[in-house]
Amino acid sequence: MHEGSCHCGAVRMTLPSTPEVATACNCSKCRRIGGPWVYFEFGSVKIEADPESTAEYIWGDRTLRTIFCRTCGCVTHWEPLPPTPGRKHGVNLGNFDPKLIATVRVRRFDGADTWKFIDE
Ligand SMILES: [Zn+2]
């Protein structure tokens, strides 16, 4: 099981499986947050946090909400809006063990412009 958390530990996440590929995106939001991102069906990642301990950021076409820790500021994940189980759900792999991150192939995605992978 892969468990991760924000820097202060207020938000804890457990992945349902081992990711093999992650995405590094250059859109206006992701280039600031970092990542890389791994994706799962919404509802399959165990997320433990006091609702008071997190805040959200919603922008643009309002198709997702980005969640971060109110204490340490780390962005942990994003959830689809509306929050429908099974929809795409992003987790910031930077909150996990560096040994896991090192095993994952990170692909560069041009979210800023073409919406295509730009690494091949
Ligand atoms: Zn925190």
Side-chain angles (χ1 to χ4, degrees), residues 20-84:
E20 294 178 357
V21 179
T23 298
C25 178
N26 64 359
C27 84
S28 60
K29 185 168 63 84
C30 293
R31 69 183 162 86
R32 290 175 164 86
I33 295 169
W37 299 100
V38 287
Y39 305 112
F40 296 96
E41 290 185 2
F42 184 54
S44 68
V45 178
K46 185 175 164 193
I47 296 170
E48 298 166 280
D50 185 323
E52 303 276 293
S53 69
T54 60
E56 66 183 25
Y57 177 61
I58 303 171
W59 72 296
D61 54 8
R62 305 182 66 85
T63 57
L64 56 87
R65 64 188 195 115
T66 303
I67 311 292
F68 59 95
C69 175
R70 283 184 193 273
T71 301
C72 66
C74 295
V75 172
T76 51
H77 63 288
W78 59 257
E79 300 179 355
L81 286 178
T84 311

Side-chain angles (χ1 to χ4, degrees), residues 86-116:
R87 283 187 60 194
K88 191 176 179 184
H89 167 49
V91 173
N92 184 349
L93 198 63
N95 295 290
F96 288 77
D97 188 337
K99 291 194 204 82
L100 171 64
I101 299 170
T103 66
V104 174
R105 179 185 170 212
V106 178
R107 299 200 61 196
R108 294 174 59 216
F109 184 74
D110 184 21
D113 187 20
T114 63
W115 271 67
K116 290 178 178 157

